[in-house]
Amino acid sequence: MSGETSPIAGGATQNWITLAAMIIVGALALVSLYMGFQAYGNEDIEIAFMYMIIGTSGFIAIGYAFFRPKPTSMDPLKTKKFDVITTLECPQCNLKRVRAFQRGDYIYKNDEPCTRCEGKMIITSIHTRKEEKK
Amino acid sequence: MSLLQPDNEIGMILQTLFSFAFIVYLFYAQRIQAMTMLRQIEMTLRKIKGLRDEGKTTAIETINEIGKPERDPTPMVERFMEHFMLEPVSMDPAGVVGKLGSILNVREFTFEKEVEVMAPNAEPSERNNIENLLEASLALNIFYKVIRHYYLLGKKTMNIYIIMQIHMILPLILQQIEAYSSALTAFREGMPIGDSVGPIVAAKLLNGAETREVAKEMVAGEIEYEGRRVIIAKAKGPGGSVGKPGDAVTNLLNENKGKVSMLITVDAAGKLEGEQVGDIAEGVGAAIGGPGVEKYKIEQAAMEHEIPMYAVAIKQGMEHVVAPLVEPLFEATDKAVSSVKGLILDYSKEGDTILVAGIGNTVGVAQ
């Protein structure tokens, strides 16, 4: 933002910090769960319950950090590239030709000579190419 | 194993950490949320700035390429991108449409003059396309500045309600911004756009019939269909223009002394989620968008001459309106032509005169 605004945190650096924090929380949560099971084995139910809650919360926090809804993707917004085609038809011999759009094309333009007869071809349609279903 | 017993040091540390986290979250949850949202807004803002800059660059490149100006158009483009329009006061609403119409006319005149100076060697249709391209760049600039305003205001005040306002509508705004960025390609090259479906339907109905100018940047021609006289009006192409359909309809109705049995408007209409692109819907009223001035004129003229108004809408998403025309929409124009013919047969009789207006931007569509 060219000096108008300063980033709240350092972009990619913050991603590393987040990752490191998530690893630490994950490790602590794992230890906590382990201690919870230990306590459960020793029939110390209250302590076991507390550790399990702590451990589960840690994993929930990591899950949230991974899957939280984001209003925008990380990909930069780019002007879309369009594959636009022009269809030309000859009114005399009905020859139909499809080619890539060129600047200056417009629907009902008739100045391109027909390759089959002496007539002039008319642009009958201009539109983007249909996307093939994957 | 004694390390992992519940009453050891690690257990204490864990408990303290989680208790601390809980207390921090209790007091700073809103601030953390605000900071997260601000960061997301900032990321989006960077992307929008990129698009805004791309819009400016595209406009300058196109002006240099087509208009071949003697001096660098950059300062003029930058000045254009800051242009604004003040709407008339509506405390006393009587006559407000006329006032708005007058302001819009001045705006249009100013834009035409600006483009004429910027691109002196461009053809009139190319000038129209440059004008549309500049308007798309102007819109991207406004989006950028408004989002930046809320971002900086939110950052300054750390008020979650200010931040939330912009954060919540960000996905919708992004849709519009992406649509405007697609418009850059369409207007630079002079390709038909989603909004061109109305003029395409009119051109298909005209089928090469002779046309004449009936209002500013509006043409009309006549055909005969099943014993009826059909007058068809559209914006004058192939340059990007919406013309003045309100004036065209008024003039044509006055010319025919109101002896018109029906008025049909064909226009692109926003589709609801779940509806298909290119769906056709028939209805009543004047199918025309924009600030409302032209719609008002059409309604006024139809009311004066007591002419029933029918409408044909071609459904499309926000992302299609100013983007290069997609194939389903082009195919839909044939269905819309059939729909118009069906309405004529259903609601008029032989010998009647019918007025059909293809509403929308006629970029890349002749007549």
Side-chain angles (χ1 to χ4, degrees):
Chain A
M1 261 134 278
S2 60
E4 294 157 351
T5 58
S6 58
I8 298 158
T13 327
Q14 202 202 32
N15 290 338
W16 284 107
I17 293 168
T18 315
L19 197 69
M22 273 158 66
I23 291 168
I24 293 166
V25 170
L28 286 173
L30 208 62
V31 169
S32 190
L33 274 181
Y34 183 79
M35 289 168 79
F37 283 115
Q38 283 267 314
Y40 188 75
N42 295 338
E43 294 186 354
D44 200 348
I45 303 298
E46 275 179 30
I47 299 286
F49 183 70
M50 189 194 75
Y51 278 124
M52 280 181 182
I53 290 271
I54 291 173
T56 317
S57 309
F59 283 115
I60 288 172
I62 293 170
Y64 173 74
F66 265 117
F67 303 109
R68 73 199 153 101
K70 292 173 188 127
T72 57
S73 68
M74 295 293 282
D75 308 327
L77 283 177
K78 284 252 162 81
T79 309
K80 270 192 200 164
K81 300 274 176 265
F82 294 95
D83 182 14
V84 181
I85 51 169
T86 300
T87 309
L88 299 111
E89 281 177 53
C90 177
Q92 285 178 28
C93 66
N94 294 326
L95 176 73
K96 201 171 176 179
R97 199 157 69 84
V98 178
R99 61 162 168 78
F101 175 88
Q102 293 164 2
R103 183 182 276 176
D105 283 356
Y106 56 84
I107 296 174
Y108 292 121
K109 184 184 184 184
N110 61 345
D111 66 349
E112 205 159 310
C114 176
T115 48
R116 193 194 282 168
C117 68
E118 296 293 304
K120 279 195 171 178
M121 298 189 96
I122 297 174
I123 294 176
T124 51
S125 77
I126 298 171
H127 55 74
T128 58
R129 205 185 291 270
K130 200 179 253 175
E131 283 175 22
E132 282 176 27
K133 280 181 186 170
K134 287 172 188 168
Chain B
M1 269 303 148
S2 63
L3 253 176
L4 298 173
Q5 290 307 307
D7 53 352
N8 61 29
E9 288 85 357
I10 292 186
M12 283 295 288
I13 293 168
L14 268 176
Q15 277 188 50
T16 317
L17 272 176
F18 277 93
S19 307
F20 182 70
F22 179 74
I23 292 163
V24 167
Y25 198 72
L26 203 68
F27 290 104
Y28 292 99
Q30 208 175 58
R31 199 174 172 83
I32 293 167
Q33 200 184 354
M35 284 172 76
T36 314
M37 286 194 287
L38 270 176
R39 189 168 168 267
Q40 288 173 346
I41 297 167
E42 189 190 307
M43 271 160 51
T44 313
L45 196 56
R46 283 173 194 276
K47 295 174 186 175
I48 296 167
K49 186 177 183 286
L51 281 185
R52 191 272 309 251
D53 293 344
E54 203 177 324
K56 191 171 101 178
T57 315
T58 309
I60 294 166
E61 278 173 8
T62 312
I63 291 166
N64 281 325
E65 216 172 300
I66 299 172
K68 294 179 181 66
E70 284 171 9
R71 56 188 168 146
D72 181 20
T74 311
M76 283 184 280
V77 171
E78 279 168 357
R79 197 176 58 141
F80 191 98
M81 283 172 76
E82 296 297 328
H83 202 276
F84 63 90
M85 187 191 89
L86 298 169
E87 286 181 12
V89 66
S90 55
M91 282 186 291
D92 181 12
V96 75
V97 180
K99 282 194 265 180
L100 180 61
S102 162
I103 291 170
L104 286 169
N105 286 343
V106 176
R107 183 182 191 255
E108 214 176 284
F109 175 76
T110 314
F111 282 10
E112 280 168 12
K113 282 283 163 203
E114 291 269 341
V115 175
E116 208 177 301
V117 176
M118 277 186 226
N121 295 311
E123 296 287 314
S125 65
E126 288 172 333
R127 274 185 202 160
N128 283 347
N129 291 348
I130 293 173
E131 198 181 315
N132 286 176
L133 177 63
L134 284 165
E135 281 189 65
S137 308
L138 191 149
L140 285 171
N141 190 35
I142 290 171
F143 275 121
Y144 168 68
K145 283 168 68 170
V146 170
I147 297 170
R148 185 184 61 180
H149 166 76
Y150 279 100
Y151 166 71
L152 291 175
L153 195 65
K155 204 178 163 188
K156 200 194 280 181
T157 58
M158 277 313 265
N159 184 322
I160 196 155
Y161 301 104
I162 293 174
I163 300 165
M164 262 180 163
Q165 275 187 68
I166 195 74
H167 187 261
M168 283 190 294
I169 57 166
L170 218 48
L172 295 174
I173 292 180
L174 272 179
Q175 262 192 343
Q176 287 185 39
I177 289 169
E178 281 176 348
Y180 275 108
S181 77
S182 306
L184 298 175
T185 313
F187 290 127
R188 187 185 59 209
E189 303 295 331
M191 295 167 180
I193 56 172
D195 192 39
S196 305
V197 286
I200 293 175
V201 171
K204 281 185 174 175
L205 283 165
L206 280 166
N207 197 25
E210 205 179 319
T211 55
R212 64 192 168 91
E213 202 147 333
V214 287
K216 194 190 173 203
E217 291 182 1
M218 288 296 294
V219 290
E222 282 182 35
I223 59 159
E224 203 196 290
Y225 177 68
E226 300 288 334
R228 282 100 166 150
R229 178 176 164 243
V230 184
I231 306 168
I232 300 141
K234 73 179 275 294
K236 189 181 178 184
S241 169
V242 289
K244 296 272 181 199
D247 291 340
V249 168
T250 310
N251 293 346
L252 287 166
L253 291 183
N254 289 340
E255 254 178 41
N256 288 278
K257 297 181 178 69
K259 285 175 185 156
V260 171
S261 60
M262 65 192 291
L263 165 64
I264 306 171
T265 43
V266 187
D267 195 10
K271 77 173 183 71
L272 298 171
E273 288 299 327
E275 285 184 316
Q276 294 295 312
V277 176
D279 276 355
I280 306 289
E282 290 172 14
V284 291
I288 176 168
V293 177
E294 298 305 309
K295 186 172 182 167
Y296 175 85
K297 286 178 194 166
I298 292 176
E299 288 172 349
Q300 194 70 15
M303 189 190 70
E304 272 171 26
H305 298 289
E306 291 176 10
I307 296 162
M309 289 186 289
Y310 295 88
V312 175
I314 302 168
K315 302 288 182 78
Q316 51 189 277
M318 196 194 288
E319 67 276 21
H320 297 118
V321 181
V322 281
L325 191 70
V326 292
E327 196 171 356
L329 281 175
F330 187 80
E331 284 164 1
T333 55
D334 286 329
K335 287 186 249 169
V337 168
S338 307
S339 192
V340 170
K341 286 178 177 173
L343 282 173
I344 292 172
L345 291 177
D346 289 347
Y347 300 107
S348 71
K349 53 187 188 302
E350 279 187 31
D352 279 353
T353 300
I354 294 108
L355 177 54
V356 180
I359 311 294
N361 194 317
T362 192
V363 59
V365 186
Q367 40 279 330

